[in-house]
Amino acid sequence: MRYLLLLLACLSAAPAWGADPLAAGRTAFQRCANCHQVGPGARSSFGPQLNGIVGRRAGAAPDFAYSPAMKKAGFVWDEKRLAAFLRDPDAVVPGNKMRFWGLRSERQIADLLAYLRAAKG
């Protein structure tokens, strides 16, 4: 009985069977991939490369020409601010030049953040 309770406790804390947040995040990133790159060899192009975005000062990737608003944002990206930015970029950095209407799904935002955390440059 004790083992059954332990098994049930573990299963209730585990993600849904077959759930793969990195795969889901990779799928969510497809909306971003037209402008941004991640992973080995990622470069800034139409948008900045996103390797190591968590912990990076806003507007600080050396190979991208940021808007004046992003250069003056004055914060370091953390997951909470990134999630807010993914919901509504203009609310977080008014006047930024990213034209993205935002993600509405909290699940997609969480999956995308998991994918960005795992992306290595």
Side-chain angles (χ1 to χ4, degrees):
M1 182 67 161
R2 183 172 20 157
Y3 296 109
L4 179 60
L5 291 175
L6 180 59
L7 177 62
L8 289 174
C10 289
L11 290 177
S12 67
W17 292 109
D20 181 352
L22 293 183
R26 191 173 16 264
T27 299
F29 186 76
Q30 293 310 306
R31 294 183 69 182
C32 312
N34 289 329
C35 301
H36 300 281
Q37 295 180 13
V38 295
R43 297 183 339 259
S44 295
S45 56
F46 195 72
Q49 59 82 14
L50 299 178
N51 289 335
I53 186 71
V54 174
R56 182 195 303 166
R57 183 162 208 63
D63 60 344
F64 186 73
Y66 289 94
S67 66
M70 190 62 78
K71 287 180 188 176
K72 295 176 186 171
F75 61 80
V76 172
W77 290 110
D78 59 21
E79 289 195 25
K80 183 177 178 182
R81 194 167 318 239
L82 263 174
F85 190 77
L86 290 168
R87 282 183 209 98
D88 187 354
D90 287 323
V92 176
V93 182
N96 78 83
K97 65 182 181 181
M98 186 166 109
R99 294 300 120 222
F100 176 67
W101 299 108
L103 292 173
R104 301 292 176 243
S105 165
E106 293 302 315
R107 178 79 261 153
Q108 275 189 320
I109 290 170
D111 292 342
L112 183 54
L113 290 174
Y115 178 69
L116 291 175
R117 267 193 313 274
K120 304 291 183 216

